[in-house]
């Protein structure tokens, strides 16, 4: 059974690009072994992540992530059985804050603020898919590293 889980959390200290890079590297390696796909966003000390895959693998991975001392206040925003993956090509892609983010924050919130704890399931999934799509397009166009948008 294919499921999608989206959660938000708060970093225990401000993360450097290197620290987020380490999380990503480990995530890609582990997730690809379990056919887990998804995206991770980090902005204003919030982590915002989507995991998709076999239910038992997604659940196990989430429990491991939630116990990680680099962040706390993990809160699930969305958990559902789905027919298809949104991020099938990505074992874990970093979706950086970048040019279109402010417009999308406004589209998916009451006040344009990025406070992912307040998102509904629909807002969370919509924002992550549009951000990742925009990031992919921009990255393909300019061949820049996604990290060039890294927001401290
Ligand atoms: C915000 C955040 C997101 C993470 N995402 C993943 C993930 O998608 N997959 C994963 O295996 N580990 C992820 N981790 C790392 C796990 O918490 C944990 O350190 C790692 O899975 C341990 O892997 P190991 O047992 O192979 O050393 C994440 C950690 C943080 C703080």
């Amino acid at each position: 059974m294919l499921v999608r889980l989206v959660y938000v959390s708060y970093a225990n200290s401000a993360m450097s690009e290197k620290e987020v890079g380490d999380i990503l590297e480990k995530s890609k390696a582990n997730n690809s072994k379990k056919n887990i796909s998804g995206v991770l966003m980090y902005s204003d000390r919030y982590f915002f992540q989507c995991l998709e895959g076999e239910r038992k693998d997604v659940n196990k991975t989430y429990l491991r992530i939630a116990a990680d001392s680099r962040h706390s206040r993990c809160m699930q925003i969305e958990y559902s059985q789905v027919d298809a993956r949104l991020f099938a090509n990505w074992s874990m892609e970093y979706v950086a804050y970048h040019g279109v983010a402010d417009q999308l924050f406004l589209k998916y919130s009451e006040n344009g603020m990025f406070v992912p704890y307040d998102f509904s399931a629909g807002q969370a999934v919509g924002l992550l898919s549009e951000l990742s799509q925009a990031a992919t397009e921009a990255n393909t166009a300019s061949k820049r590293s996604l990290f060039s948008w890294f927001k401290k």
Side-chain angles (χ1 to χ4, degrees):
M1 182 193 292
L2 187 61
V3 301
R4 177 177 307 128
L5 184 159
V6 179
Y7 76 88
V8 59
S9 68
Y10 196 66
N12 286 340
S13 58
M15 293 270 137
S16 68
E17 196 169 326
K18 159 94 174 57
E19 287 169 313
V20 177
D22 289 346
I23 292 174
L24 262 183
E25 207 177 304
K26 171 59 81 177
S27 303
K28 285 183 185 188
N30 284 349
N31 295 354
S32 57
K33 283 185 220 148
K34 298 285 177 191
N35 291 317
I36 290 178
S37 48
V39 289
L40 172 69
M41 182 175 183
Y42 174 73
S43 184
D44 296 332
R45 266 175 83 171
Y46 295 111
F47 284 111
F48 189 32
Q49 188 175 26
C50 174
L51 300 164
E52 306 170 321
E54 170 61 41
R55 180 167 64 183
K56 73 168 173 3
D57 294 326
V58 168
N59 291 357
K60 261 190 178 175
T61 301
Y62 175 71
L63 290 175
R64 206 169 60 238
I65 296 171
D68 194 310
S69 61
R70 286 171 282 192
H71 64 169
S72 47
R73 292 170 51 202
C74 285
M75 190 178 83
Q76 284 186 33
I77 298 181
E78 155 79 334
Y79 185 93
S80 58
Q81 190 185 336
V82 292
D83 295 329
R85 295 170 193 256
L86 279 172
F87 308 107
N89 298 330
W90 292 342
S91 55
M92 190 46 60
E93 192 60 37
Y94 182 61
V95 178
Y97 175 95
H98 59 94
V100 297
D102 287 327
Q103 277 165 267
L104 291 175
F105 292 167
L106 187 60
K107 178 172 175 183
Y108 286 104
S109 72
E110 293 81 356
N111 52 14
M113 303 290 286
F114 180 62
V115 184
Y117 284 98
D118 293 343
F119 285 152
S120 68
Q123 287 170 331
V125 172
L127 179 64
L128 280 175
S129 354
E130 285 208 49
L131 274 171
S132 55
Q133 198 182 331
T136 309
E137 282 163 13
N139 198 43
T140 310
S142 67
K143 300 265 185 290
R144 281 194 303 174
S145 150
L146 282 178
F147 278 115
S148 56
W149 290 299
F150 191 88
K151 194 187 175 211
K152 304 253 162 9

